[in-house]
Amino acid sequence: MTEPVARTLRMLPPKPTGFSGADVQQRLSQRRRADARFRAYGLAAIALAILSLFLILADVTGKALPAFTQSTLRLDVPVTSEHVDASAPKAGDYEATVRNALRGLFPEVQSRADRKALDSLLSTGAADALRHRVVADPALIGQIIASKALLSSDADLYVKGVSAKVSTAAGVGAAKPSATSGAVTLDLAPDALAGVLATDLAATTTAAAAPVTLDTTTPSLLLALNGGIVKITSLASGKAEGEILVPLTTADAAAAGAWRHILIATPETSRKINDRQIAFLELLADKSAIERHFNFAFFGRGDSREPELAGILGGLMGTAYTMLVTLGLCLPVGVAAAIYLEEFAPRNRLTDLIEVNINNLAAVPSIVFGLLGLAVFLNVFGLPRSSPLVGGLVLALLVMPTIIIASRAALKAVPPSIREAAVGIGATRQQAIFHHVLPVAMPGIMTGAIIGMAHALGETAPLLMIGMVAFIADVPGSPADAATVLPVQIFLWSDLPEAGFQSKTAAAILVLLAFLVVMNGLAIWLRKKFERRW
């Protein structure tokens, strides 16, 4: 443009826009408000996502907390030659030894039903700690050993306050029982139990009206006095009738504050543990015989049919072996395939067909890969069933398309000038790719690997097809041993009816999330290490 023309254009008046200054300001204000609303929507979406994540984690953590602690019963156990032979300590009857020690705390309990209720407080693995000590040191036979016996899952949940809602308070006034065993009548102060039961029942009891009957469908009321436990079956003002669950030491009147009432709001029909067992637990707690500590066995044991004995070490090791096989196979093969297709393969119909099939494989349902593993790896090659080796091979096939696609995108994003500069100074094409292009693309490749491995870590369906859903109690020692993985372990536990497995399921979910965070953190560290800034 010549100078005269430019000068003429500058002299021309501006073209009218049809908007006044007020209109322009109004439009600008509208645009600013729209931008502010958009930012507010974005912040609200982020806040909602963070809140949802927090609520999910809080809910899972709250349900998982009981699984991280364990209740044990402190007992002084006499190890006699009657049950344990010094020449063969492994074959000793340690279960009977521990049961007898527990019964020794309640010598007044003689009936078969009471002994059965008392014995059921102990886990089937209650004698494991004692057995290990005696087998390691047979000289302990004939001595009294201070040992810790594991409580059953139902007793453990009651001690933790999970299976039943319990409230305890000191008694008001004196309580006089009529007997020390069997059926009993208690003389109480008129307001001794006011407000203990639900509002409608409490109003009835304080009105000196007809007695209120308590059964298995109503809240349970227990009175702890004179060294025993009484279960109330009928309650009126100043008087109560009931059944003695644990015999009393005396029929004398218990002074105010020397007895207490225990209200179990959950009816007996709605819980696994009955009132008789609760009576034993309450007396054991009064003797400070019950202890709670961190549940190391949860991380050091394999699976079990008993909730208190079940651990995640088997699933954790199976997951680790499976991920090692998956990563060891799919990462080098996937990256090599991406390098060949992107840098060396000729552009023809065959390579186009391969690329289309790789993209399609990334969208194939995971159950199809499980069927493939069942048909090929198990039936044709005869690889061991339910092993992390086969699970890793199946997941490698599942993840490989994702890694190939991500690696090709990372290689394609490398500036062409790097290739040209390397070739220009005398490097071969292969040297330019492996010495210059691949290191630059490594962060993108590691990102694809992170996405693929995270996908594989949460898969369950293909592993069910190759038998990793089987109950495996042993901890695998190699990728060829039978094992399960954490997602399948969670799936199995969530379907079990025992209440103790509910907290175990939530705890296993937290461990799986921690495993995923550690694995992704390692991958991110590797990505940062290989990252180069230009």
Side-chain angles (χ1 to χ4, degrees):
M1 183 181 297
T2 61
E3 179 62 26
V5 174
R7 187 166 51 252
T8 302
L9 291 176
R10 285 195 296 269
M11 294 175 60
L12 292 175
K15 185 177 180 180
T17 60
F19 298 104
S20 63
D23 293 336
V24 172
Q25 292 299 324
Q26 182 180 4
R27 285 177 171 268
L28 288 176
S29 299
Q30 292 175 352
R31 290 177 58 184
R32 294 190 185 99
R33 287 195 296 270
D35 292 342
R37 284 196 300 271
F38 182 77
R39 287 194 297 269
Y41 294 153
L43 292 175
I46 294 173
L48 180 61
I50 294 175
L51 178 62
S52 301
L53 178 61
F54 174 78
L55 291 177
I56 292 174
L57 291 178
D59 180 65
V60 174
T61 303
K63 293 179 179 178
L65 287 178
F68 294 118
T69 58
Q70 197 171 50
S71 300
T72 57
L73 183 62
R74 190 177 68 254
L75 294 172
D76 292 329
V77 185
V79 182
T80 62
S81 57
E82 178 184 356
H83 295 103
V84 182
D85 189 356
S87 61
K90 289 185 179 180
D93 191 357
Y94 295 94
E95 288 78 8
T97 302
V98 173
R99 285 199 305 268
N100 291 337
L102 176 59
R103 291 176 181 178
L105 297 178
F106 299 94
E108 66 278 4
V109 176
Q110 298 296 330
S111 68
R112 183 177 179 181
D114 289 350
R115 286 192 171 188
K116 183 177 179 181
L118 184 61
D119 294 343
S120 62
L121 297 179
L122 296 177
S123 167
T124 55
D128 290 347
L130 179 65
R131 178 185 291 107
H132 293 157
R133 291 184 60 185
V134 175
V135 170
D137 185 9
L140 295 175
I141 299 175
Q143 302 180 19
I144 298 178
I145 303 175
S147 180
K148 293 182 179 180
L150 185 64
L151 292 181
S152 67
S153 176
D154 295 331
D156 178 58
L157 291 177
Y158 174 80
V159 171
K160 296 173 181 175
V162 176
S163 61
K165 184 179 179 182
V166 182
S167 59
T168 303
V172 178
K176 175 69 169 66
S178 62
T180 58
S181 62
V184 64
T185 300
L186 295 104
D187 295 325
L188 305 172
D191 58 347
L193 299 176
V196 172
L197 301 177
T199 304
D200 53 343
L201 296 179
T204 305
T205 58
T206 57
V212 176
T213 301
L214 302 179
D215 53 26
T216 58
T217 61
T218 63
S220 297
L221 179 60
L222 307 181
L223 302 186
L225 73 162
N226 296 344
I229 298 289
V230 179
K231 177 182 178 180
I232 302 301
T233 56
S234 178
L235 185 62
S237 178
K239 187 177 291 290
E241 296 179 357
E243 174 191 3
I244 295 181
L245 302 180
V246 179
L248 309 182
T249 57
T250 178
D252 297 338
W259 62 281
R260 60 191 174 93
H261 52 74
I262 305 164
L263 177 65
I264 307 155
T266 307
E268 193 172 13
T269 55
S270 301
R271 44 185 159 87
K272 293 287 186 179
I273 188 168
N274 58 39
D275 291 337
R276 193 176 302 274
Q277 293 170 315
I278 290 177
F280 290 130
L281 288 175
E282 290 292 337
L283 292 180
L284 289 172
D286 291 342
K287 298 176 182 179
S288 300
I290 298 178
E291 299 178 351
R292 289 178 60 184
H293 52 82
F294 187 78
N295 189 6
F296 291 100
F298 178 69
F299 300 94
R301 286 181 174 176
D303 196 7
S304 174
R305 298 297 186 187
E306 304 295 333
E308 71 275 8
L309 299 177
I312 61 168
L313 183 59
L316 194 61
M317 293 302 297
T319 300
Y321 284 134
T322 302
M323 291 298 103
L324 285 176
V325 174
T326 302
L327 185 63
L329 180 63
C330 69
L331 185 60
V333 175
V335 174
I339 292 174
Y340 174 76
L341 291 175
E342 189 63 31
E343 303 293 342
F344 297 101
R347 294 296 180 264
N348 52 35
R349 292 184 178 180
L350 179 60
T351 56
D352 292 341
L353 179 63
I354 293 174
E355 291 178 4
V356 170
N357 287 331
I358 290 175
N359 293 329
N360 289 336
L361 284 175
V364 170
S366 60
I367 192 68
V368 176
F369 291 96
L371 293 172
L372 178 64
L374 176 63
V376 177
F377 298 134
L378 297 183
N379 295 338
V380 176
F381 293 103
L383 294 178
R385 192 177 185 88
S386 304
S387 65
L389 176 61
V390 179
L393 292 174
V394 171
L395 294 181
L397 296 178
L398 173 66
V399 171
M400 198 174 298
T402 302
I403 294 182
I404 293 175
I405 294 172
S407 299
R408 290 193 63 186
L411 292 170
K412 191 179 296 184
V414 177
S417 58
I418 295 179
R419 298 178 178 85
E420 297 169 358
V423 173
I425 61 175
T428 64
R429 187 176 183 184
Q430 182 177 352
Q431 289 174 329
I433 297 300
F434 287 96
H435 294 175
H436 301 279
V437 176
L438 186 59
V440 176
M442 189 57 68
I445 294 174
M446 294 305 299
T447 300
I450 293 173
I451 296 173
M453 295 303 294
H455 181 196
L457 185 61
E459 279 296 337
T460 303
L463 301 180
L464 300 181
M465 299 302 300
I466 62 170
M468 296 191 80
V469 70
F471 173 76
I472 307 295
D474 296 331
V475 178
S478 69
D481 294 339
T484 187
V485 292
L486 280 178
V488 176
Q489 188 89 73
I490 294 170
F491 169 75
L492 293 175
W493 282 354
S494 65
D495 199 41
L496 294 176
E498 290 84 354
F501 280 113
Q502 296 179 5
S503 59
K504 298 279 186 179
T505 301
I509 291 174
L510 291 182
V511 174
L512 179 62
L513 292 176
F515 190 92
L516 177 63
V517 169
V518 171
M519 189 177 67
N520 286 351
L522 179 61
I524 292 172
W525 177 78
L526 291 174
R527 185 180 67 185
K528 292 293 184 180
K529 182 178 180 180
F530 288 104
E531 186 176 9
R532 296 187 180 183
R533 299 184 180 276
W534 301 89

